[in-house]
Amino acid sequence: AYKKAVVVVDLWLPGAETVTAEGAMFDCCILVPNEMNGANSRDFPISPHLKIGRDEDGLWNYTQISELLNRALDDYDNFIPEFQTLKKHVMALPATFQESVHRYFANDIHFVTSAFSQEEQELVMPWAVSVLMNYPLASIDILVHNRMQFGLRWAPVFEILRQRGIKQSITVSDALAAHGEVVYQGRATGPRIFNQAIRESSLTCFADPRATLLRPDLLTLIE
């Protein structure tokens, strides 16, 4: 059916739709609204003036719909290039899906945070447990001034994590500065200078445990 079709119209887009993706794959002109998921420029990379709006009474703009349909039917060869970005997006979805799976389910997700202040030291372990509950195969580096004192303070929690087989996901390191530099504790990007035990990759996330605490109740839950 799509091979014979020229245009696909879908005015109800609560989420991603198969019909629009399939139509784009077969070089159909895709007409969607400028609301709901149709307004999402990531899922529907179509020029805003080609997305269907409503009139002052809240009804669909049938004049616009008629004009767009006429362009698709009467001037298809010149109109279809407007939807090539959408087609490229749809054709890339399998690869994008694989990348997302790798990102969220591989052990390449690496979080780096610091616990220098009293507030950070109180929040960092609940934050770390929250991260591991959301990204079970992630690894976490925690930078502290004194890892021995930190380890003693949180020894009961580390023991629970060891019993559950996830302690190895967390590494606590002294924040040693190289060549006389001091550790820069940037709130936007996190600490930028760390010792060689800390690795940095394309999937390294620098985090502030004060701003990214996901589940403050998880420490009590694992106990």
Side-chain angles (χ1 to χ4, degrees), residues 136-185:
L137 300 179
S139 59
I140 301 173
D141 276 309
I142 302 174
L143 300 168
V144 297
H145 286 312
N146 189 313
R147 62 187 177 91
M148 297 300 293
Q149 291 181 0
F150 184 88
L152 289 173
R153 175 178 181 177
W154 291 106
V157 174
F158 280 118
E159 176 58 23
I160 293 173
L161 296 177
R162 185 193 66 78
Q163 294 173 4
R164 295 177 180 268
I166 55 177
K167 179 179 181 294
Q168 66 274 14
S169 300
I170 301 177
T171 301
V172 180
S173 301
D174 293 324
L176 303 178
H179 307 297
E181 295 173 304
V182 296
V183 173
Y184 172 68
Q185 193 178 356

Side-chain angles (χ1 to χ4, degrees), residues 10 13 15-17 20-21 30 32-33 37-47 51 86 89:
D10 191 341
L13 287 174
E17 294 288 348
T20 52
I30 308 299
V32 297
N37 199 46
N40 189 322
S41 60
R42 182 188 62 184
D43 289 344
F44 291 95
I46 302 171
S47 296
K51 294 184 177 182
L86 174 61
H89 166 72

